[in-house]
Amino acid sequence: MQNYPQYSSKQKWIHWLTFTLILLAFLVVMFKAVLSNYLGGMPVIYLLHKSLGALIFVLTLWRFVLIKHVGVPDVLPKDHKLQRVLSKSTQGFIYILLIIVPLSGYLMSRHPLNFFGIVSIPVVDLPNQAYQIFHSVHQASSYLLGILLIIHIAGALYHYFVIKDKVLQSMLN
């Protein structure tokens, strides 16, 4: 048995699955020109990107339910106040952006969200200016999410390689 706080197995699965889905959604858009040749065109690219975003949104809601019921382990010592503030605020903003990015992506589209070709979620009829606003929000919040994820990863690696504590292991083991 480990002698350090652990996230639940469900929390670990959601964490790593969300990370994988974010990476896939990013790669699909970044390499859309090349991938569209292999995946059947741009409509398939956008179907994948939107479906991955919807899945990220649902997983984030599930994560909130788990946090409410299970809580989160206290992996940082109480006397490291600055680390705790940086960690909690970075994670908090990541959670907020994991809601804003997919939601603004859905609201910026003038087409129904066809979730992996299985379920169609109707479009929300908005004035043209609203679509443009949600597009800007989606783009800006996506970049901000990317920056915060890099900070989050750097923090985890800092704990593992420099401080040599068990913060990273709490999400791995």
Side-chain angles (χ1 to χ4, degrees):
M1 177 146 172
Q2 289 88 3
N3 58 358
Y4 52 90
Q6 289 285 297
Y7 285 88
S8 74
S9 60
K10 285 180 187 175
Q11 288 171 314
K12 291 175 188 178
W13 272 101
I14 290 173
H15 179 271
W16 293 109
L17 182 56
T18 300
F19 171 74
T20 303
L21 294 173
I22 290 169
L23 185 61
L24 287 173
F26 170 76
L27 291 174
V28 163
V29 169
M30 283 302 297
F31 298 105
K32 64 185 174 188
V34 173
L35 290 173
S36 67
N37 294 327
Y38 297 103
L39 297 176
M42 291 307 283
V44 175
I45 295 296
Y46 289 116
L47 172 105
L48 281 173
H49 182 73
K50 290 177 181 184
S51 297
L52 292 168
L55 195 52
I56 291 165
F57 182 81
V58 170
L59 282 173
T60 302
L61 294 179
W62 185 19
R63 181 183 290 209
F64 292 156
V65 170
L66 278 174
I67 288 171
K68 175 93 170 129
H69 291 311
V70 178
V72 293
D74 201 8
V75 297
L76 293 174
K78 296 203 185 309
D79 60 337
H80 294 137
K81 292 186 189 316
L82 180 59
Q83 281 184 16
R84 292 174 71 84
V85 167
L86 290 173
S87 172
K88 296 294 182 191
S89 59
T90 301
Q91 288 176 350
F93 283 119
I94 288 172
Y95 290 152
I96 290 167
L97 290 170
L98 288 175
I99 294 295
I100 291 174
V101 172
L103 191 57
S104 62
Y106 168 67
L107 293 172
M108 75 181 226
S109 180
R110 293 184 170 107
H111 304 287
L113 194 163
N114 190 352
F115 184 72
F116 291 111
I118 301 168
V119 176
S120 183
I121 302 168
V123 67
V124 176
D125 190 26
L126 299 169
N128 282 339
Q129 187 176 9
Y131 292 116
Q132 294 167 352
I133 290 169
F134 284 118
H135 182 271
S136 296
V137 168
H138 184 69
Q139 195 169 32
S141 59
S142 296
Y143 290 130
L144 183 55
L145 177 61
I147 291 166
L148 289 174
L149 290 175
I150 290 168
I151 291 169
H152 180 67
I153 292 166
L157 294 174
Y158 174 76
H159 276 275
Y160 185 77
F161 289 110
V162 177
I163 298 176
K164 298 185 188 305
D165 61 15
K166 301 292 185 183
V167 168
L168 182 59
Q169 285 86 335
S170 68
M171 189 52 82
L172 290 174
N173 296 333

